Amino acid sequence: MFYRQSIVIFGIVVPAAICAIIVGGGFFLKSKATASFQQKLSLYKSSEQNRIGSQGIEKDISKKREHVERWTAQLERETANSITSCLKEIADRLPSKEFQQTAVEYLSGEGTIGTVTAQKSSQVKLAFRGTYRSVQRAFLELETLMPQLQLQELKIDPSVSSSSTMNFAVTYTSWEK
């Protein structure tokens, strides 16, 4: 009888408490391991989706690589030479009565658009006389041949010499490498 309390405490309660702590610790470790596994699984799935997406983007880019190389080469060319050669090529294709280049001016500085960016740029002012359709076609061809040009200002006035022609003054920002 005297040992009953000691037997109950050290024989039943303490081992039961130790078993409860071990079982509780096991459940705690299992829940931590499960949560860690779920987190790593979601990271893996996300990483796998990103990898598959990047492969798709790389596939699309590889189709356009020749264009990127052409555009890069175009950006490396001097703006003045590029514009001069492109305008000569365009003027050769259009009728001289409908399209005439009247002025080219290469402005110093970057202009309003170029000053707020880190990208190098220059400005060019062009003037033409011609019919609306021919000059519009010339603009289309120039901007197609030189995609680095960004229209900054366009001014159209009627020509005093002919009713069918107009005077065009245009300012472009040319982005450079």
Side-chain angles (χ1 to χ4, degrees):
M1 253 200 157
F2 297 110
Y3 300 110
R4 215 188 268 171
Q5 186 180 11
S6 297
I7 292 172
V8 169
I9 290 176
F10 293 109
I12 297 174
V13 174
V14 171
I18 292 173
C19 286
I21 291 172
I22 291 172
V23 169
F27 280 124
F28 177 74
L29 289 175
K30 182 183 182 253
S31 69
K32 282 285 246 190
T34 303
S36 174
F37 175 75
Q38 291 300 326
Q39 181 185 14
K40 289 177 183 175
L41 185 63
S42 72
L43 286 174
Y44 170 76
K45 287 179 181 178
S46 172
S47 171
E48 196 63 20
Q49 286 177 340
N50 289 341
R51 185 183 65 80
I52 290 169
S54 67
Q55 285 177 342
I57 290 171
E58 182 62 35
K59 182 181 172 186
D60 290 343
I61 288 174
S62 66
K63 292 178 185 175
K64 296 178 174 123
R65 192 161 314 276
E66 66 186 46
H67 299 297
V68 172
E69 290 169 359
R70 179 174 47 88
W71 292 333
T72 303
Q74 180 71 25
L75 283 174
E76 290 173 350
R77 290 176 52 196
E78 186 181 344
T79 300
N81 291 339
S82 295
I83 288 180
T84 303
S85 64
C86 288
L87 287 175
K88 181 171 177 9
E89 187 179 313
I90 292 167
D92 290 344
R93 283 185 254 156
L94 295 172
S96 61
K97 291 180 181 179
E98 293 182 14
F99 178 78
Q100 298 166 356
Q101 180 181 343
T102 56
V104 176
E105 183 182 352
Y106 300 100
L107 305 173
S108 62
E110 296 179 331
T112 57
I113 298 172
T115 57
V116 294
T117 65
Q119 180 73 31
K120 277 182 53 180
S121 66
S122 62
Q123 276 190 301
V124 62
K125 235 180 185 175
L126 304 170
F128 304 100
R129 182 179 312 116
T131 62
Y132 184 79
R133 183 175 45 182
S134 293
V135 176
Q136 185 180 29
R137 183 173 169 207
F139 285 153
L140 173 69
E141 289 184 25
L142 179 63
E143 291 175 11
T144 301
L145 292 171
M146 298 186 67
Q148 73 267 29
L149 293 180
Q150 182 174 3
L151 182 65
Q152 188 171 328
E153 182 181 349
L154 174 65
K155 189 175 174 184
I156 304 173
D157 295 319
S159 178
V160 291
S161 62
S162 171
S163 63
S164 64
T165 61
M166 293 184 260
N167 294 322
F168 295 82
V170 64
T171 304
Y172 282 110
T173 296
S174 178
W175 300 105
E176 300 170 349
K177 191 167 186 178

Short mmCIF file of all heavy atoms in Angstrom, two decimals, residues 120-177:
data_model
loop_
_atom_site.label_atom_id
_atom_site.label_comp_id
_atom_site.label_asym_id
_atom_site.label_seq_id
_atom_site.Cartn_x
_atom_site.Cartn_y
_atom_site.Cartn_z
N LYS A 120 20.35 55.50 -76.15
CA LYS A 120 20.89 56.54 -77.02
C LYS A 120 19.93 56.79 -78.18
O LYS A 120 19.31 55.87 -78.69
CB LYS A 120 22.24 56.09 -77.60
CG LYS A 120 23.40 56.31 -76.68
CD LYS A 120 24.72 55.89 -77.31
CE LYS A 120 24.93 56.54 -78.64
NZ LYS A 120 26.19 56.18 -79.29
N SER A 121 19.84 58.06 -78.58
CA SER A 121 18.97 58.41 -79.70
C SER A 121 19.47 59.69 -80.34
O SER A 121 20.29 60.41 -79.78
CB SER A 121 17.52 58.60 -79.23
OG SER A 121 17.43 59.71 -78.37
N SER A 122 18.97 59.93 -81.54
CA SER A 122 19.25 61.19 -82.23
C SER A 122 17.98 61.61 -82.95
O SER A 122 17.05 60.83 -83.10
CB SER A 122 20.40 61.00 -83.23
OG SER A 122 20.06 60.06 -84.21
N GLN A 123 17.96 62.87 -83.38
CA GLN A 123 16.78 63.38 -84.06
C GLN A 123 17.12 63.71 -85.50
O GLN A 123 18.24 64.14 -85.81
CB GLN A 123 16.31 64.67 -83.39
CG GLN A 123 15.44 64.46 -82.20
CD GLN A 123 14.84 65.79 -81.77
OE1 GLN A 123 15.56 66.72 -81.46
NE2 GLN A 123 13.53 65.86 -81.76
N VAL A 124 16.14 63.49 -86.36
CA VAL A 124 16.29 63.86 -87.76
C VAL A 124 15.00 64.53 -88.22
O VAL A 124 13.90 64.07 -87.89
CB VAL A 124 16.65 62.64 -88.64
CG1 VAL A 124 15.56 61.59 -88.61
CG2 VAL A 124 16.95 63.06 -90.05
N LYS A 125 15.16 65.64 -88.93
CA LYS A 125 14.02 66.37 -89.47
C LYS A 125 14.04 66.20 -90.98
O LYS A 125 15.06 66.42 -91.62
CB LYS A 125 14.16 67.85 -89.14
CG LYS A 125 13.01 68.44 -88.45
CD LYS A 125 13.23 69.89 -88.15
CE LYS A 125 12.06 70.35 -87.33
NZ LYS A 125 12.19 71.71 -86.88
N LEU A 126 12.93 65.78 -91.53
CA LEU A 126 12.81 65.54 -92.97
C LEU A 126 11.69 66.42 -93.52
O LEU A 126 10.69 66.67 -92.84
CB LEU A 126 12.48 64.08 -93.25
CG LEU A 126 13.45 63.04 -92.69
CD1 LEU A 126 12.87 61.64 -92.85
CD2 LEU A 126 14.78 63.13 -93.38
N ALA A 127 11.85 66.85 -94.76
CA ALA A 127 10.80 67.62 -95.43
C ALA A 127 10.59 67.04 -96.83
O ALA A 127 11.56 66.68 -97.52
CB ALA A 127 11.19 69.09 -95.51
N PHE A 128 9.32 66.94 -97.22
CA PHE A 128 8.95 66.38 -98.51
C PHE A 128 7.88 67.24 -99.16
O PHE A 128 7.12 67.93 -98.47
CB PHE A 128 8.39 64.95 -98.35
CG PHE A 128 9.29 64.00 -97.64
CD1 PHE A 128 9.10 63.70 -96.30
CD2 PHE A 128 10.34 63.40 -98.31
CE1 PHE A 128 9.93 62.82 -95.65
CE2 PHE A 128 11.18 62.52 -97.66
CZ PHE A 128 10.97 62.23 -96.33
N ARG A 129 7.81 67.13 -100.48
CA ARG A 129 6.70 67.71 -101.23
C ARG A 129 6.17 66.59 -102.10
O ARG A 129 6.94 65.88 -102.76
CB ARG A 129 7.17 68.87 -102.11
CG ARG A 129 6.02 69.52 -102.88
CD ARG A 129 6.45 70.70 -103.74
NE ARG A 129 7.30 71.64 -103.02
CZ ARG A 129 8.58 71.90 -103.35
NH1 ARG A 129 9.14 71.30 -104.36
NH2 ARG A 129 9.28 72.77 -102.66
N GLY A 130 4.86 66.43 -102.10
CA GLY A 130 4.29 65.38 -102.92
C GLY A 130 2.82 65.18 -102.66
O GLY A 130 2.21 65.88 -101.87
N THR A 131 2.28 64.17 -103.36
CA THR A 131 0.87 63.84 -103.15
C THR A 131 0.75 63.07 -101.83
O THR A 131 1.70 62.45 -101.36
CB THR A 131 0.33 62.96 -104.29
OG1 THR A 131 1.06 61.74 -104.33
CG2 THR A 131 0.43 63.68 -105.63
N TYR A 132 -0.42 63.15 -101.27
CA TYR A 132 -0.64 62.51 -99.97
C TYR A 132 -0.35 61.02 -100.04
O TYR A 132 0.33 60.47 -99.19
CB TYR A 132 -2.08 62.76 -99.51
CG TYR A 132 -2.36 62.21 -98.14
CD1 TYR A 132 -1.95 62.88 -97.01
CD2 TYR A 132 -3.03 60.99 -97.99
CE1 TYR A 132 -2.20 62.38 -95.75
CE2 TYR A 132 -3.28 60.49 -96.73
CZ TYR A 132 -2.85 61.17 -95.62
OH TYR A 132 -3.09 60.66 -94.38
N ARG A 133 -0.83 60.37 -101.08
CA ARG A 133 -0.66 58.92 -101.22
C ARG A 133 0.82 58.55 -101.36
O ARG A 133 1.29 57.61 -100.71
CB ARG A 133 -1.47 58.40 -102.40
CG ARG A 133 -1.37 56.90 -102.55
CD ARG A 133 -2.26 56.36 -103.62
NE ARG A 133 -2.18 57.16 -104.84
CZ ARG A 133 -2.88 56.94 -105.92
NH1 ARG A 133 -3.74 55.95 -105.94
NH2 ARG A 133 -2.76 57.68 -106.98
N SER A 134 1.56 59.25 -102.18
CA SER A 134 2.97 58.91 -102.39
C SER A 134 3.81 59.16 -101.14
O SER A 134 4.66 58.35 -100.78
CB SER A 134 3.54 59.72 -103.55
OG SER A 134 2.94 59.32 -104.76
N VAL A 135 3.56 60.26 -100.46
CA VAL A 135 4.32 60.55 -99.24
C VAL A 135 3.94 59.57 -98.14
O VAL A 135 4.79 59.12 -97.38
CB VAL A 135 4.13 62.02 -98.81
CG1 VAL A 135 4.83 62.30 -97.49
CG2 VAL A 135 4.67 62.96 -99.89
N GLN A 136 2.68 59.21 -98.07
CA GLN A 136 2.24 58.22 -97.09
C GLN A 136 2.93 56.89 -97.35
O GLN A 136 3.39 56.22 -96.42
CB GLN A 136 0.72 58.07 -97.14
CG GLN A 136 0.17 57.15 -96.08
CD GLN A 136 -1.34 57.04 -96.17
OE1 GLN A 136 -1.93 57.16 -97.23
NE2 GLN A 136 -1.97 56.81 -95.03
N ARG A 137 3.03 56.51 -98.60
CA ARG A 137 3.74 55.27 -98.96
C ARG A 137 5.22 55.37 -98.61
O ARG A 137 5.82 54.41 -98.12
CB ARG A 137 3.55 55.00 -100.45
CG ARG A 137 4.18 53.71 -100.88
CD ARG A 137 3.84 53.38 -102.31
NE ARG A 137 4.67 52.28 -102.75
CZ ARG A 137 5.00 52.07 -103.99
NH1 ARG A 137 4.54 52.85 -104.94
NH2 ARG A 137 5.77 51.07 -104.32
N ALA A 138 5.81 56.54 -98.84
CA ALA A 138 7.22 56.75 -98.50
C ALA A 138 7.44 56.62 -97.00
O ALA A 138 8.41 55.99 -96.55
CB ALA A 138 7.69 58.11 -98.99
N PHE A 139 6.54 57.19 -96.20
CA PHE A 139 6.64 57.06 -94.75
C PHE A 139 6.53 55.60 -94.32
O PHE A 139 7.27 55.13 -93.47
CB PHE A 139 5.55 57.87 -94.04
CG PHE A 139 5.78 59.35 -94.03
CD1 PHE A 139 4.71 60.22 -93.95
CD2 PHE A 139 7.05 59.89 -94.08
CE1 PHE A 139 4.90 61.59 -93.94
CE2 PHE A 139 7.25 61.27 -94.06
CZ PHE A 139 6.17 62.12 -93.99
N LEU A 140 5.59 54.89 -94.92
CA LEU A 140 5.41 53.48 -94.60
C LEU A 140 6.68 52.69 -94.91
O LEU A 140 7.14 51.91 -94.08
CB LEU A 140 4.22 52.91 -95.39
CG LEU A 140 4.03 51.39 -95.28
CD1 LEU A 140 3.59 51.00 -93.90
CD2 LEU A 140 3.05 50.91 -96.32
N GLU A 141 7.25 52.91 -96.08
CA GLU A 141 8.46 52.18 -96.46
C GLU A 141 9.65 52.57 -95.59
O GLU A 141 10.44 51.71 -95.19
CB GLU A 141 8.77 52.41 -97.94
CG GLU A 141 7.78 51.72 -98.86
CD GLU A 141 8.12 51.87 -100.32
OE1 GLU A 141 9.31 52.08 -100.65
OE2 GLU A 141 7.20 51.78 -101.15
N LEU A 142 9.77 53.86 -95.27
CA LEU A 142 10.88 54.31 -94.42
C LEU A 142 10.78 53.69 -93.04
O LEU A 142 11.77 53.18 -92.51
CB LEU A 142 10.88 55.84 -94.31
CG LEU A 142 11.98 56.44 -93.44
CD1 LEU A 142 13.36 56.15 -94.00
CD2 LEU A 142 11.76 57.94 -93.28
N GLU A 143 9.60 53.70 -92.46
CA GLU A 143 9.43 53.14 -91.11
C GLU A 143 9.51 51.62 -91.11
O GLU A 143 9.82 51.02 -90.10
CB GLU A 143 8.12 53.64 -90.51
CG GLU A 143 8.17 55.12 -90.22
CD GLU A 143 6.85 55.69 -89.74
OE1 GLU A 143 5.92 54.91 -89.44
OE2 GLU A 143 6.74 56.92 -89.68
N THR A 144 9.24 50.99 -92.24
CA THR A 144 9.41 49.54 -92.35
C THR A 144 10.89 49.19 -92.47
O THR A 144 11.35 48.25 -91.83
CB THR A 144 8.65 48.99 -93.56
OG1 THR A 144 7.26 49.32 -93.42
CG2 THR A 144 8.79 47.49 -93.68
N LEU A 145 11.62 49.95 -93.27
CA LEU A 145 13.05 49.70 -93.44
C LEU A 145 13.84 50.07 -92.19
O LEU A 145 14.89 49.48 -91.91
CB LEU A 145 13.60 50.48 -94.64
CG LEU A 145 13.13 50.03 -96.02
CD1 LEU A 145 13.56 51.02 -97.09
CD2 LEU A 145 13.65 48.64 -96.33
N MET A 146 13.36 51.05 -91.45
CA MET A 146 14.06 51.53 -90.26
C MET A 146 13.11 51.51 -89.05
O MET A 146 12.56 52.54 -88.66
CB MET A 146 14.60 52.93 -90.50
CG MET A 146 15.61 53.01 -91.60
SD MET A 146 16.35 54.64 -91.72
CE MET A 146 17.27 54.71 -90.20
N PRO A 147 12.92 50.34 -88.45
CA PRO A 147 11.97 50.25 -87.34
C PRO A 147 12.40 51.01 -86.09
O PRO A 147 11.62 51.18 -85.18
CB PRO A 147 11.88 48.74 -87.06
CG PRO A 147 13.11 48.16 -87.64
CD PRO A 147 13.51 49.05 -88.78
N GLN A 148 13.65 51.49 -86.06
CA GLN A 148 14.11 52.23 -84.89
C GLN A 148 13.64 53.69 -84.91
O GLN A 148 13.87 54.42 -83.96
CB GLN A 148 15.64 52.17 -84.75
CG GLN A 148 16.40 53.00 -85.76
CD GLN A 148 16.80 52.23 -86.99
OE1 GLN A 148 16.12 51.29 -87.39
NE2 GLN A 148 17.90 52.61 -87.60
N LEU A 149 12.99 54.11 -85.99
CA LEU A 149 12.48 55.47 -86.06
C LEU A 149 11.16 55.58 -85.30
O LEU A 149 10.29 54.72 -85.42
CB LEU A 149 12.25 55.90 -87.52
CG LEU A 149 13.47 56.04 -88.40
CD1 LEU A 149 13.07 56.45 -89.80
CD2 LEU A 149 14.46 57.03 -87.82
N GLN A 150 11.04 56.64 -84.54
CA GLN A 150 9.79 56.90 -83.81
C GLN A 150 9.33 58.30 -84.18
O GLN A 150 10.07 59.27 -84.00
CB GLN A 150 10.02 56.78 -82.31
CG GLN A 150 8.77 56.98 -81.51
CD GLN A 150 8.98 56.73 -80.04
OE1 GLN A 150 10.08 56.45 -79.60
NE2 GLN A 150 7.92 56.80 -79.28
N LEU A 151 8.14 58.38 -84.70
CA LEU A 151 7.59 59.67 -85.13
C LEU A 151 7.41 60.58 -83.92
O LEU A 151 6.81 60.21 -82.93
CB LEU A 151 6.24 59.47 -85.83
CG LEU A 151 5.58 60.73 -86.37
CD1 LEU A 151 6.43 61.34 -87.48
CD2 LEU A 151 4.20 60.41 -86.88
N GLN A 152 7.97 61.78 -84.05
CA GLN A 152 7.87 62.74 -82.96
C GLN A 152 6.95 63.89 -83.34
O GLN A 152 6.17 64.36 -82.54
CB GLN A 152 9.26 63.26 -82.62
CG GLN A 152 9.31 64.12 -81.40
CD GLN A 152 10.74 64.42 -81.00
OE1 GLN A 152 11.62 63.62 -81.21
NE2 GLN A 152 10.94 65.58 -80.44
N GLU A 153 7.05 64.33 -84.60
CA GLU A 153 6.24 65.46 -85.03
C GLU A 153 5.95 65.32 -86.53
O GLU A 153 6.83 64.95 -87.30
CB GLU A 153 7.01 66.76 -84.77
CG GLU A 153 6.28 68.00 -85.13
CD GLU A 153 7.12 69.25 -84.86
OE1 GLU A 153 8.18 69.16 -84.23
OE2 GLU A 153 6.70 70.31 -85.33
N LEU A 154 4.73 65.63 -86.92
CA LEU A 154 4.33 65.60 -88.33
C LEU A 154 3.53 66.86 -88.61
O LEU A 154 2.58 67.18 -87.89
CB LEU A 154 3.48 64.36 -88.63
CG LEU A 154 2.88 64.27 -90.02
CD1 LEU A 154 3.96 64.15 -91.08
CD2 LEU A 154 1.93 63.08 -90.10
N LYS A 155 3.92 67.56 -89.66
CA LYS A 155 3.24 68.80 -90.04
C LYS A 155 2.95 68.73 -91.53
O LYS A 155 3.83 68.45 -92.34
CB LYS A 155 4.15 69.99 -89.73
CG LYS A 155 3.51 71.32 -89.88
CD LYS A 155 4.49 72.39 -89.41
CE LYS A 155 3.94 73.77 -89.67
NZ LYS A 155 4.93 74.79 -89.32
N ILE A 156 1.69 68.97 -91.91
CA ILE A 156 1.27 68.91 -93.31
C ILE A 156 0.65 70.27 -93.67
O ILE A 156 -0.26 70.75 -92.98
CB ILE A 156 0.24 67.79 -93.55
CG1 ILE A 156 0.80 66.44 -93.10
CG2 ILE A 156 -0.17 67.75 -95.01
CD1 ILE A 156 -0.21 65.31 -93.13
N ASP A 157 1.17 70.86 -94.75
CA ASP A 157 0.65 72.13 -95.24
C ASP A 157 0.35 72.01 -96.73
O ASP A 157 1.05 71.27 -97.44
CB ASP A 157 1.69 73.26 -95.06
CG ASP A 157 1.97 73.56 -93.60
OD1 ASP A 157 1.03 73.57 -92.81
OD2 ASP A 157 3.16 73.77 -93.27
N PRO A 158 -0.65 72.74 -97.23
CA PRO A 158 -0.90 72.72 -98.68
C PRO A 158 0.25 73.42 -99.42
O PRO A 158 0.84 74.36 -98.92
CB PRO A 158 -2.21 73.48 -98.85
CG PRO A 158 -2.41 74.23 -97.58
CD PRO A 158 -1.61 73.55 -96.51
N SER A 159 0.55 72.91 -100.59
CA SER A 159 1.62 73.50 -101.40
C SER A 159 1.08 74.68 -102.18
O SER A 159 -0.03 74.62 -102.73
CB SER A 159 2.17 72.43 -102.35
OG SER A 159 3.16 72.98 -103.19
N VAL A 160 1.86 75.74 -102.26
CA VAL A 160 1.42 76.93 -103.00
C VAL A 160 1.62 76.75 -104.50
O VAL A 160 0.97 77.40 -105.30
CB VAL A 160 2.15 78.20 -102.50
CG1 VAL A 160 1.71 78.55 -101.10
CG2 VAL A 160 3.64 78.05 -102.58
N SER A 161 2.54 75.85 -104.88
CA SER A 161 2.85 75.69 -106.30
C SER A 161 1.86 74.79 -107.03
O SER A 161 1.67 74.93 -108.23
CB SER A 161 4.27 75.14 -106.47
OG SER A 161 4.37 73.87 -105.86
N SER A 162 1.22 73.87 -106.32
CA SER A 162 0.31 72.94 -106.98
C SER A 162 -0.81 72.56 -106.02
O SER A 162 -0.58 72.38 -104.82
CB SER A 162 1.08 71.69 -107.41
OG SER A 162 0.19 70.70 -107.87
N SER A 163 -1.99 72.39 -106.56
CA SER A 163 -3.12 72.03 -105.70
C SER A 163 -3.13 70.55 -105.34
O SER A 163 -3.78 70.16 -104.38
CB SER A 163 -4.44 72.42 -106.38
OG SER A 163 -4.59 71.68 -107.58
N SER A 164 -2.43 69.73 -106.11
CA SER A 164 -2.44 68.29 -105.83
C SER A 164 -1.32 67.85 -104.89
O SER A 164 -1.31 66.71 -104.44
CB SER A 164 -2.35 67.50 -107.14
OG SER A 164 -1.11 67.76 -107.77
N THR A 165 -0.38 68.73 -104.60
CA THR A 165 0.73 68.36 -103.72
C THR A 165 0.64 69.10 -102.40
O THR A 165 -0.02 70.13 -102.28
CB THR A 165 2.10 68.65 -104.37
OG1 THR A 165 2.20 70.04 -104.62
CG2 THR A 165 2.27 67.85 -105.65
N MET A 166 1.33 68.53 -101.41
CA MET A 166 1.38 69.12 -100.08
C MET A 166 2.82 69.12 -99.60
O MET A 166 3.65 68.34 -100.08
CB MET A 166 0.51 68.31 -99.12
CG MET A 166 -0.96 68.39 -99.42
SD MET A 166 -1.92 67.52 -98.19
CE MET A 166 -2.23 66.00 -99.07
N ASN A 167 3.09 69.96 -98.62
CA ASN A 167 4.40 70.00 -97.98
C ASN A 167 4.31 69.24 -96.66
O ASN A 167 3.40 69.48 -95.86
CB ASN A 167 4.84 71.45 -97.72
CG ASN A 167 5.06 72.20 -99.00
OD1 ASN A 167 5.57 71.67 -99.98
ND2 ASN A 167 4.66 73.47 -99.02
N PHE A 168 5.26 68.35 -96.44
CA PHE A 168 5.29 67.53 -95.23
C PHE A 168 6.59 67.83 -94.49
O PHE A 168 7.67 67.80 -95.09
CB PHE A 168 5.27 66.04 -95.59
CG PHE A 168 4.00 65.59 -96.26
CD1 PHE A 168 3.81 65.77 -97.62
CD2 PHE A 168 3.00 65.00 -95.52
CE1 PHE A 168 2.66 65.35 -98.24
CE2 PHE A 168 1.83 64.58 -96.13
CZ PHE A 168 1.66 64.76 -97.50
N ALA A 169 6.49 68.07 -93.21
CA ALA A 169 7.67 68.22 -92.35
C ALA A 169 7.51 67.20 -91.23
O ALA A 169 6.49 67.15 -90.54
CB ALA A 169 7.75 69.62 -91.78
N VAL A 170 8.50 66.37 -91.06
CA VAL A 170 8.41 65.29 -90.08
C VAL A 170 9.70 65.26 -89.26
O VAL A 170 10.79 65.49 -89.79
CB VAL A 170 8.11 63.93 -90.76
CG1 VAL A 170 9.23 63.52 -91.67
CG2 VAL A 170 7.82 62.86 -89.76
N THR A 171 9.55 65.00 -87.98
CA THR A 171 10.69 64.85 -87.09
C THR A 171 10.62 63.44 -86.50
O THR A 171 9.59 63.03 -85.96
CB THR A 171 10.68 65.89 -85.96
OG1 THR A 171 10.63 67.18 -86.54
CG2 THR A 171 11.92 65.77 -85.09
N TYR A 172 11.72 62.73 -86.61
CA TYR A 172 11.82 61.38 -86.07
C TYR A 172 12.88 61.34 -84.97
O TYR A 172 13.88 62.05 -85.04
CB TYR A 172 12.27 60.38 -87.14
CG TYR A 172 11.19 59.95 -88.10
CD1 TYR A 172 11.22 60.36 -89.43
CD2 TYR A 172 10.17 59.10 -87.70
CE1 TYR A 172 10.26 59.96 -90.33
CE2 TYR A 172 9.20 58.69 -88.59
CZ TYR A 172 9.25 59.12 -89.90
OH TYR A 172 8.29 58.72 -90.78
N THR A 173 12.65 60.49 -83.99
CA THR A 173 13.69 60.12 -83.04
C THR A 173 14.20 58.78 -83.51
O THR A 173 13.43 57.85 -83.74
CB THR A 173 13.13 60.00 -81.61
OG1 THR A 173 12.67 61.28 -81.20
CG2 THR A 173 14.20 59.51 -80.64
N SER A 174 15.50 58.70 -83.68
CA SER A 174 16.12 57.45 -84.14
C SER A 174 16.85 56.82 -82.96
O SER A 174 17.79 57.38 -82.42
CB SER A 174 17.10 57.73 -85.28
OG SER A 174 17.72 56.54 -85.67
N TRP A 175 16.40 55.63 -82.57
CA TRP A 175 17.02 54.93 -81.44
C TRP A 175 18.27 54.24 -81.92
O TRP A 175 18.29 53.65 -82.98
CB TRP A 175 16.03 53.94 -80.83
CG TRP A 175 14.80 54.63 -80.33
CD1 TRP A 175 13.58 54.64 -80.91
CD2 TRP A 175 14.70 55.47 -79.18
NE1 TRP A 175 12.72 55.41 -80.19
CE2 TRP A 175 13.38 55.93 -79.12
CE3 TRP A 175 15.59 55.85 -78.19
CZ2 TRP A 175 12.93 56.78 -78.11
CZ3 TRP A 175 15.15 56.69 -77.19
CH2 TRP A 175 13.84 57.14 -77.15
N GLU A 176 19.32 54.32 -81.12
CA GLU A 176 20.62 53.78 -81.51
C GLU A 176 21.12 52.82 -80.45
O GLU A 176 20.67 52.86 -79.31
CB GLU A 176 21.61 54.94 -81.71
CG GLU A 176 21.18 55.91 -82.80
CD GLU A 176 22.02 57.18 -82.83
OE1 GLU A 176 22.80 57.41 -81.89
OE2 GLU A 176 21.87 57.94 -83.80
N LYS A 177 22.10 52.04 -80.83
CA LYS A 177 22.68 51.09 -79.88
C LYS A 177 23.82 51.70 -79.14
O LYS A 177 24.53 52.52 -79.59
CB LYS A 177 23.16 49.86 -80.64
CG LYS A 177 23.51 48.73 -79.71
CD LYS A 177 23.67 47.46 -80.47
CE LYS A 177 23.88 46.34 -79.48
NZ LYS A 177 24.01 45.08 -80.07
#
